[in-house]
């Protein structure tokens, strides 16, 4: 039991470090990724990322062909589509295995449905 709690605490600390470590500005952090379906049942691969200079953003690709792609930023990076911090968090949690009913609605908005 104590060993399990230690491991869980260590995993949480590593995840927090990935999110909040701003000392490595150019290092890309692929935090999580998942494949989600939009309302038209098209599949999209969503990579949840964070970097020092781009901040929190999503890389979204049509799946499995990768013919369409887009980027969305929670930190107003350049010409990326804009999303809120809460929307980024929904994808972070969804990619980490927690279901969130809002993910499809946000994805629909981003891919133009």
């Amino acid at each position: 039991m104590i060993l399990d709690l230690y491991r869980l605490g260590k995993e949480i600390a590593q995840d927090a470090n990935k999110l909040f470590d701003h000392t490595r500005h150019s290092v890309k952090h692929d935090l999580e990724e998942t494949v989600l379906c939009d309302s038209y049942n098209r599949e999209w691969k969503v990579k949840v990322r964070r970097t020092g200079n781009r901040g929190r953003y999503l890389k979204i690709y049509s799946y499995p062909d990768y013919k369409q792609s887009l980027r969305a930023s929670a930190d107003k990076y350049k010409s990326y589509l804009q999303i809120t911090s809460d929307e980024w968090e929904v994808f972070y949690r969804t990619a980490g295995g927690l279901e969130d009913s809002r993910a499809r609605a946000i994805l629909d908005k981003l891919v133009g449905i």
Side-chain angles (χ1 to χ4, degrees), residues 11-12 14 16 21 28 30 32 37 42 48-49 51 55-56 59 63 65 74 77-78 89 91-92 101 103 107 109-110:
E11 288 174 15
I12 291 170
Q14 288 170 344
D21 181 11
K28 294 177 185 171
D30 285 333
E32 300 286 346
C37 288
R42 296 178 297 188
V48 181
R49 304 183 92 187
T51 65
R56 296 162 297 164
K59 291 175 78 173
Y63 187 78
D65 62 12
Y77 184 74
K78 293 191 179 184
E89 184 72 25
F91 284 103
Y92 178 70
S101 60
L107 180 63
K109 178 181 78 167
L110 292 171

Side-chain angles (χ1 to χ4, degrees), residues 59-88:
K59 291 175 78 173
I60 302 172
Y61 302 96
S62 56
Y63 187 78
D65 62 12
Y66 293 91
K67 289 182 180 178
Q68 294 176 294
S69 68
L70 58 99
R71 307 284 188 278
S73 173
D75 296 314
K76 298 181 175 139
Y77 184 74
K78 293 191 179 184
S79 61
Y80 287 12
L81 296 173
Q82 299 303 303
I83 57 174
T84 66
S85 295
D86 289 340
E87 290 172 329
W88 184 89

